């Protein structure tokens, strides 16, 4: 069974987290290439082969490589005045928001050790969140033509996105990942067209909004970790909660 090192990075700037996951991604790729050159595959797998990072960011907007600047509704002076950072990054997808009260997850997985299928990888990320939502009595769904996890529309509420997903792969090693709204300030989504979706019958939501009360984010993290291991079929190595 594959082993994954889990790191909860806590509150961290977007740039610092991006640099750190880029470093780990490079290490995983280089190790993989070295083993391939030596015609050796680790058995049992080394605990240094995969990582799962959780963190929270200060308020920041990120634009994927296929996104449009038109979906950012603030100019640079307004961004700075409101205290938001902005980054153009190399993941797929359009624009999204990261901020306090959100679980941002960065899996750095060598998919050669799981399955080499990008579509399946995204669906499996979604599945981990769907299983986690179920433990809170919420039914997460997928929506055709859109990534992420949603909650169904009702007579009182539109279709609502609770988790955004955007990934990048190089040599079948993943980076970037997902943003799961827990206690997120949803008013911060008003400054963008989230994921470039202009449909009036779609909105964003959070676990706290759906359940009507503030949530223990550490408890959500533990449940989410469990379901990640379950749906991907791995086990966690000894957790390390700080950057060494």
């Amino acid at each position: 069974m594959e082993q994954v090192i889990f790191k909860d990075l806590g509150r961290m700037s977007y740039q610092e987290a991006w640099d750190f996951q880029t470093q780990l991604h490079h290490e995983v790729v280089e190790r993989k290439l070295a083993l391939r050159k030596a015609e050796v595959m680790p058995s049992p797998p080394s605990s240094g082969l995969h990582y799962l990072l959780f963190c929270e960011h200060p308020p920041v907007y990120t634009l994927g490589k296929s996104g449009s600047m038109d979906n950012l509704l603030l100019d640079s002076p307004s961004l700075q005045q409101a205290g938001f950072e902005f980054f153009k990054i190399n993941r797929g997808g359009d624009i999204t928001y990261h901020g306090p009260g959100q679980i941002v997850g960065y899996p750095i997985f060598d998919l050669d050790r799981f399955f080499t299928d990008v579509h399946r990888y995204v669906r499996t990320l979604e599945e981990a969140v769907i299983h986690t939502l179920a433990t809170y009595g919420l039914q997460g769904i997928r929506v055709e033509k859109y990534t992420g996890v949603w909650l169904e529309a009702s007579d009182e509420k539109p279709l609502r996105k609770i988790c955004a997903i955007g990934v990048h792969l190089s040599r079948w090693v993943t980076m970037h990942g997902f943003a799961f709204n827990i206690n997120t300030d949803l008013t911060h989504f008003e400054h963008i067209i989230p994921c470039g979706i202009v449909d009036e019958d779609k909105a964003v939501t959070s676990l706290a909004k759906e359940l009507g009360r503030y949530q223990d984010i550490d408890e959500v993290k533990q449940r989410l970790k469990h379901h990640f291991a379950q749906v991907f079929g791995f086990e966690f190595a000894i957790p390390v909660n700080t950057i060494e």
Side-chain angles (χ1 to χ4, degrees):
M1 181 176 286
E2 298 298 302
Q3 290 194 324
V4 173
I5 293 175
F6 173 73
K7 292 178 180 283
D8 187 343
L9 305 177
R11 184 75 61 88
M12 177 178 282
S13 73
Y14 188 83
Q15 184 66 65
E16 188 178 3
W18 190 7
D19 290 344
F20 185 53
Q21 63 167 320
T22 299
Q23 172 194 328
L24 294 180
H25 183 276
H26 177 76
E27 290 175 2
V28 171
V29 169
E30 289 302 304
R31 181 180 183 280
K32 174 180 180 175
L33 295 178
L35 289 170
R36 183 176 294 172
K37 185 176 181 179
E39 297 183 347
V40 173
M41 286 299 289
S43 183
S46 165
S47 62
L49 197 58
H50 316 279
Y51 294 88
L52 178 61
L53 312 178
F54 283 178
C55 65
E56 290 181 67
H57 294 307
V60 59
Y61 298 114
T62 65
L63 182 69
K65 57 188 178 183
S66 59
S68 170
M69 282 295 297
D70 292 339
N71 294 324
L72 176 62
L73 306 180
L74 295 177
D75 57 21
S76 293
S78 298
L79 277 171
Q80 293 177 358
Q81 185 176 5
F84 296 103
E85 289 191 295
F86 173 75
F87 291 89
K88 290 183 178 180
I89 58 175
N90 61 343
R91 62 161 171 79
D94 208 288
I95 196 165
T96 195
Y97 165 75
H98 299 315
Q102 188 183 68
I103 299 174
V104 180
Y106 298 127
I108 303 171
F109 292 172
D110 179 0
L111 292 188
D112 271 324
R113 304 289 291 173
F114 292 100
F115 44 77
T116 51
D117 184 328
V118 178
H119 181 80
R120 181 180 172 188
Y121 172 62
V122 172
R123 298 288 85 80
T124 309
L125 294 179
E126 293 168 346
E127 192 70 13
V129 176
I130 288 170
H131 280 287
T132 303
L133 288 171
T135 68
Y136 289 92
L138 296 173
Q139 184 177 355
I141 64 169
R142 298 180 178 89
V143 176
E144 189 176 357
K145 297 181 181 178
Y146 297 108
T147 60
V149 179
W150 301 71
L151 300 178
E152 279 190 305
S154 66
D155 292 339
E156 298 80 21
K157 298 178 180 180
L159 191 67
R160 304 167 317 282
K161 192 172 194 176
I162 197 167
C163 181
I165 291 176
V167 302
H168 172 77
L169 281 77
S170 175
R171 296 185 181 271
W172 288 110
V173 178
T174 67
M175 62 182 295
H176 298 294
F178 65 91
F180 186 8
N181 296 329
I182 310 302
N183 301 307
T184 315
D185 184 345
L186 299 178
T187 65
H188 291 172
F189 285 94
E190 296 172 2
H191 303 308
I192 61 174
I193 301 174
C195 302
I197 300 173
V198 296
D199 304 0
E200 293 184 358
D201 63 341
K202 297 181 179 65
V204 292
T205 191
S206 68
L207 193 60
K209 182 175 181 179
E210 294 299 321
L211 298 179
R213 61 187 182 278
Y214 183 88
Q215 297 298 306
D216 182 341
I217 197 167
D218 289 328
E219 178 183 276
V220 183
K221 288 177 182 179
Q222 291 304 313
R223 296 187 186 195
L224 185 58
K225 278 180 59 182
H226 167 77
H227 290 296
F228 251 91
Q230 185 180 60
V231 299
F232 277 97
F234 65 73
E235 62 183 12
F236 285 106
I238 298 174
V240 179
N241 291 314
T242 58
I243 301 176
E244 296 176 352

